Amino acid sequence: MGDNEKIGLGGGCHWCTEAVFQSLKGVTSVAQGYISSTQENSSFSEAIIVNYNPITVNLKLLIEVHLLTHKSTKNHSMRDKYRSAIYTFSNEQKIKAETILNALKQQYKSKLVTRVLNFSEFKASREEITNYYYKNPKKPFCETFIDPKLKLLLKEYSTHVNTEKLNHLILD
């Protein structure tokens, strides 16, 4: 992997989260599955692990995109299954993520429910549902739930998007 870094992200359906981060320049791989943290967050929740090149895409941008593309201000009844979190792999990374998240809070009218948590364990999704969007872009779920997130990503972060992957949306 060389100088790549990784971060765990959870918030909504991992099919959606996976597609959003697979579409960013600098993201070298996305592992879809379930992440657990510690203590009261030790249950598994849908999430992804993003491996990225910090020279091409930085942690601040990844967190900004994450907050924008899931319900980061809603404490809904499905939060056990869809925990809104940034999972960190070191104390240094946790401090950095908390600093970024605290700075970004100012941009939101509603309180963010997203928390920075320690990564504990990862269970990968079964192969049939990984890379879900890019295997099935015309499925109703993808068109209904993922396309709007990717269009928002194109609108807000066009210079950071791998437009070759999203040509089908640009041409719409």
Side-chain angles (χ1 to χ4, degrees):
M1 290 238 163
D3 295 319
N4 277 357
E5 292 182 17
K6 65 182 177 179
I7 193 79
L9 300 169
C13 165
H14 51 201
W15 294 348
C16 298
T17 312
E18 175 189 55
V20 165
F21 288 92
Q22 283 176 326
S23 304
L24 288 175
K25 292 176 185 172
V27 171
T28 54
S29 69
V30 177
Q32 179 209 112
Y34 306 85
I35 294 179
S36 68
S37 183
T38 55
Q39 296 159 347
E40 72 271 12
N41 296 299
S42 63
S43 63
F44 280 94
S45 185
E46 290 193 19
I48 59 169
I49 295 176
V50 177
N51 287 284
Y52 65 98
N53 178 334
I55 294 166
T56 311
V57 61
N58 62 40
L59 185 58
K60 181 179 183 284
L61 182 94
L62 294 174
I63 292 173
E64 281 178 21
V65 167
H66 182 53
L67 296 175
L68 178 72
T69 56
H70 83 282
K71 293 182 172 139
S72 58
T73 60
K74 301 267 189 289
N75 219 347
H76 54 72
S77 62
M78 297 294 286
R79 275 293 170 223
D80 285 344
K81 183 178 182 185
Y82 305 122
R83 187 181 302 123
S84 182
I86 301 160
Y87 298 95
T88 58
F89 293 87
S90 69
N91 201 43
E92 178 188 354
Q93 188 182 49
K94 184 174 187 168
I95 292 166
K96 189 174 179 183
E98 285 172 341
T99 302
I100 292 166
L101 188 62
N102 285 332
L104 292 173
K105 282 179 183 177
Q106 315 310 314
Q107 298 174 19
Y108 287 82
K109 289 179 180 76
S110 301
K111 183 178 184 252
L112 290 172
V113 297
T114 308
R115 301 202 358 237
V116 178
L117 301 172
N118 294 320
F119 172 88
S120 178
E121 196 178 340
F122 178 75
K123 285 198 274 192
S125 293
R126 60 188 194 283
E127 183 60 37
E128 306 89 65
I129 63 168
T130 60
N131 195 27
Y132 190 81
Y133 180 80
Y134 284 106
K135 287 180 190 170
N136 310 285
K138 294 297 174 196
K139 282 211 172 173
F141 180 90
C142 295
E143 290 181 335
T144 303
F145 297 104
I146 302 175
D147 280 355
K149 292 175 189 282
L150 295 176
K151 287 177 181 175
L152 182 61
L153 186 66
L154 278 167
K155 181 179 173 233
E156 300 293 328
Y157 293 95
S158 61
T159 59
H160 300 284
V161 173
N162 183 341
T163 50
E164 287 176 22
K165 283 188 156 188
L166 297 180
N167 259 342
H168 63 288
L169 292 177
I170 297 167
L171 302 174
D172 279 355

